[in-house]
Amino acid sequence: MQTAEATTEPRFGGSADEQRIAEEAFRTVVTMGRFFPKTAPIRVRLTALAEFFAGRDSARTAEEWRAELDRVLTANPDVFGRESTDDGEVVFVTTALGVSPVGQARPVNMHTLARRFQEPIPVPEQPVTPARRRRPSTAEEQLIAALEAEESALAQAEGAAEVETWEPVAEEEVEVVVEPTTAAAPETIDLAGIAALEPDALAAIITDELRHDLSVAGFGDRWMVEDKVPRLSRGDLRRFRDYLLERNQPLADETLLQDILGLRPTSDDYDLMRFAVNFRLSREHREFEFVGTTDQRLWTTTGLPTIGTAKRKASEIGTDYRYLIENPGVDTAAGEPVVEHVLTFYEYQLGVLPYDATFQALLPAAMQPEQRAAVLAFESPQTYETFFVELRYPTGNRGGYLAGFERFFAENLVPGALITIERSENNGRYLLEYLPISGQDRKLLQLDEKKGRYAFRPTTFYCATQENMLLTENRFPRLANTAPLEERIRRRPEEVLAALFERVGESEGAGASRRYMAILDDLLAAINVERPVNAELIRAIAGSPDNPQFSVDPDVEDVFYYQPPAE
């Protein structure tokens, strides 16, 4: 049988307007302390309460509301108790029942949960069964007799020392004083501080609390009680995985929902089952991985082909782009729908693009916590093709980048090509375009993978390029027949810069005073043959006092010098 708890509304004194103000103040305080026990005191500073009322009613200032609230609440001592802090601040205290806890004496023998644990119900006494004594053997009797004789001799030698005997104390003589455990007084609620929080900051706090609550299921910006989320059988999960392997590509949650579970968007429980599929798959870390965005929720599984190049490991490419974390470059305003980019030799060879500040403003951020990557669909209107690109987010000491352009770059572009990437209405789909031109024949730098050497070969291309990033034979003749730098050198940008000075710079002087001069455009184009580096990093290396071998021309902008250390 269930009984409803009887509650009474507090009564306020004064005029009708004063009663309205007192009731509104009581509702405000109780709302802020809605998670407190009904008998727990809820304290609020008069200053914070006055600022809250002033924010809602601009006809009165906070100081006027402070005087009015102090007068009205003081006139209702049965509901609001008035206290003063050490710093002279006025604090009003009430409870969810509408009874002031100030001046109320607490019963001494109050029944509390803490006292129940401190004074448990005594366990009934069990009759003691006397243990049966075994008669000692002859050897044991001899040993006992020898020990007793030794103890007697030792006591006589020490003068028959007196042995004290402790008598047990009767249980009724022991006085046990147990103080009832009282809960700490709740902290004062700062209404003004909560009201001053930005919506995004408040949403982040709530989201973090929900994410750590095991009874709440969440995916993206949607939340639900975990027990109410439909469950998927092991057979459903197996069919999801088999279908992903059959299609051999990441698939959207809607595709899995319609093709495997047979639900249609018009079904009443379609949205519920879509949330259930995403939430349940997010718990299966060993077999499924979320690689989608807010508008295109894609899932992949183990065994699908890797998106990206096979020429270099993904971890090594991420290490090459670590400079984007240490030197992020120029910030770009978020929301730009189109990004222009000039393709470097490194990006062309591996089919990658940097996830720098410019692309971060264009591409979507990770939707889920600890999301490793997002698979985006890129469409080329000029070649009538659509392909997947994997956006790898920065992790630890590895920078982020986009991978999967290798075939498209090789068939349509050259290093130095100017491309544009445009965001569509779906943040999981993008347009990739370049400016077509009439055919041009130039000798461009290429890597002969069989010989492991760089060479200039005649190339015909049909895309617009940026001249300062073209690697032509007339501009960099000394790059011909050179080998890629060793891995131990490639790891350090300053060592790569020093090596490129000797390959593309102009030599000045001789002997110990010999040095090389180069401009920024030449260094930027040549150093990106070996590893990704932006102009800001080159300026930082050349101008750092930690690298005395480099120097900056004080008269001409972006002209640098390198003097090899004496052998």
Side-chain angles (χ1 to χ4, degrees):
M1 178 178 180
Q2 296 182 350
T3 58
E5 182 180 359
T7 59
T8 58
E9 295 292 334
R11 295 184 178 181
F12 305 98
S15 62
D17 186 57
E18 292 174 348
Q19 292 179 11
R20 180 186 59 81
I21 295 175
E23 182 178 2
E24 187 174 355
F26 173 74
R27 297 301 178 194
T28 302
V29 175
V30 172
T31 300
M32 300 307 300
R34 60 187 178 277
F35 296 117
F36 289 9
K38 292 185 177 181
T39 58
I42 308 174
R43 291 177 169 81
V44 61
R45 292 178 179 269
L46 178 60
T47 303
L49 193 60
E51 292 179 357
F52 176 75
F53 271 75
R56 298 178 57 184
D57 184 6
S58 58
R60 300 184 186 180
T61 63
E63 191 62 31
E64 293 175 347
W65 272 113
R66 176 186 174 91
E68 180 70 10
L69 290 170
D70 192 6
R71 182 180 62 81
V72 173
L73 301 187
T74 305
N76 292 273
D78 295 338
V79 180
F80 294 96
R82 192 176 189 276
E83 299 177 348
S84 297
T85 61
D86 296 338
D87 55 358
E89 179 71 22
V90 177
V91 176
F92 281 97
V93 56
T94 185
T95 61
L97 297 177
V99 179
S100 172
V102 177
Q104 296 183 3
R106 184 171 181 175
V108 177
N109 295 326
M110 184 177 181
H111 178 74
T112 62
L113 181 62
R115 186 166 183 177
R116 287 178 57 190
F117 279 109
Q118 293 174 354
E119 298 180 2
I121 300 176
V123 180
E125 296 183 359
Q126 299 292 336
V128 180
T129 303
R132 298 179 61 183
R133 298 186 62 184
R134 179 180 61 85
R135 182 177 179 179
S137 62
T138 305
E140 291 176 345
E141 291 179 349
Q142 295 176 356
L143 179 59
I144 293 173
L147 291 175
E148 290 178 352
E150 183 177 356
E151 289 180 0
S152 177
L154 181 60
Q156 293 179 1
E158 294 180 354
E162 181 180 357
V163 180
E164 297 182 359
T165 302
W166 294 90
E167 295 293 339
V169 180
E171 183 177 357
E172 59 272 8
E173 297 178 2
V174 180
E175 180 179 1
V176 180
V177 180
V178 179
E179 294 292 339
T181 304
T182 58
E187 296 183 359
T188 302
I189 302 174
D190 189 358
L191 298 178
I194 297 177
L197 287 176
E198 295 292 336
D200 293 342
L202 185 58
I205 295 174
I206 296 175
T207 301
D208 184 68
E209 291 295 330
L210 292 176
R211 186 171 291 121
H212 290 83
D213 191 344
L214 299 180
S215 63
V216 178
F219 187 83
D221 57 353
R222 296 193 174 187
W223 305 89
M224 188 177 180
V225 178
E226 202 274 341
D227 292 341
K228 301 297 182 180
V229 181
R231 299 185 179 276
L232 301 176
S233 66
R234 300 308 302 178
D236 294 334
L237 297 177
R238 184 174 60 256
R239 287 188 292 163
F240 285 159
R241 173 173 164 77
D242 293 342
Y243 193 59
L244 285 167
L245 294 175
E246 178 184 348
R247 296 285 298 271
N248 203 34
Q249 66 180 27
L251 297 177
D253 56 351
E254 296 179 340
T255 303
L256 299 175
L257 198 61
Q258 297 176 22
D259 295 355
I260 302 301
L261 299 184
L263 288 178
R264 294 293 177 260
T266 56
S267 302
D268 295 337
D269 58 345
Y270 184 81
D271 290 336
L272 174 61
M273 288 304 301
R274 185 183 182 188
F275 177 83
V277 167
N278 286 305
F279 173 70
R280 297 302 178 189
L281 291 184
S282 67
R283 296 297 182 91
E284 303 293 331
H285 303 289
R286 295 184 177 181
E287 295 185 353
F288 299 95
E289 180 183 2
F290 179 74
V291 290
T293 64
T294 54
D295 297 338
Q296 183 171 276
R297 302 181 178 183
L298 299 179
W299 289 92
T300 185
T301 186
T302 55
L304 290 184
T306 302
I307 300 177
T309 181
K311 297 178 180 179
R312 191 166 177 81
K313 295 180 180 179
S315 59
E316 295 176 345
I317 299 177
T319 303
D320 290 341
Y321 279 112
R322 181 172 57 188
Y323 80 94
L324 293 176
I325 302 175
E326 302 169 350
N327 300 274
V330 181
D331 292 336
T332 304
E336 292 294 334
V338 181
V339 165
E340 293 184 353
H341 183 76
V342 180
L343 205 61
T344 67
F345 188 91
Y346 179 92
E347 297 164 358
Y348 174 83
Q349 284 291 112
L350 301 180
V352 298
L353 289 176
Y355 188 57
D356 55 12
T358 303
F359 282 100
Q360 288 180 18
L362 176 73
L363 303 176
M367 177 182 170
Q368 286 290 100
E370 301 179 0
Q371 183 176 345
R372 179 188 61 87
V375 175
L376 310 176
F378 274 71
E379 178 183 351
S380 173
Q382 293 152 314
T383 60
Y384 304 101
E385 61 179 317
T386 301
F387 53 93
F388 281 128
V389 170
E390 187 174 64
L391 167 59
R392 291 180 175 266
Y393 294 107
T395 56
N397 59 352
R398 294 175 182 170
Y401 63 94
L402 294 95
F405 300 97
E406 187 175 4
R407 185 183 60 82
F408 180 84
F409 288 169
E411 294 177 355
N412 304 284
L413 305 175
V414 294
L418 180 63
I419 62 175
T420 60
I421 298 178
E422 181 179 358
R423 182 195 303 125
S424 67
E425 296 180 356
N426 186 326
N427 66 357
R429 304 184 68 87
Y430 294 83
L431 297 179
L432 173 61
E433 297 181 274
Y434 61 91
L435 180 62
I437 61 174
S438 57
Q440 292 193 13
D441 295 325
R442 306 282 287 273
K443 276 193 173 183
L444 301 182
L445 185 70
Q446 296 182 10
L447 176 61
D448 190 339
E449 298 182 359
K450 292 183 179 180
K451 297 181 180 180
R453 297 279 177 173
Y454 295 112
F456 289 95
R457 296 175 179 174
T459 305
T460 303
F461 55 91
Y462 301 88
C463 59
T465 59
Q466 188 166 307
E467 193 66 26
N468 64 344
M469 292 299 292
L470 273 180
L471 299 166
T472 60
E473 186 176 21
N474 295 335
R475 186 181 177 191
F476 303 109
R478 295 203 301 273
L479 288 180
N481 204 33
T482 58
L485 297 177
E486 298 179 5
E487 189 65 29
R488 62 179 181 84
I489 298 178
R490 291 184 68 262
R491 295 194 188 101
R492 300 180 59 85
E494 58 273 13
E495 294 188 12
V496 178
L497 185 61
L500 267 298
F501 257 103
E502 298 181 359
R503 292 184 178 183
V504 303
E506 297 181 6
S507 177
E508 299 178 354
S513 61
R514 185 178 185 179
R515 67 174 185 174
Y516 296 88
M517 186 272 293
I519 62 175
L520 179 63
D521 288 346
D522 292 346
L523 291 174
L524 185 62
I527 197 172
N528 275 277
V529 173
E530 300 292 342
R531 58 160 297 145
V533 172
N534 57 15
E536 289 76 13
L537 182 56
I538 294 177
R539 294 190 183 101
I541 294 174
S544 174
D546 297 333
N547 303 312
Q549 67 273 28
F550 302 107
S551 59
V552 181
D553 194 308
D555 301 325
V556 184
E557 185 180 5
D558 288 338
V559 174
F560 307 99
Y561 298 92
Y562 166 69
Q563 185 170 7
E567 296 182 359

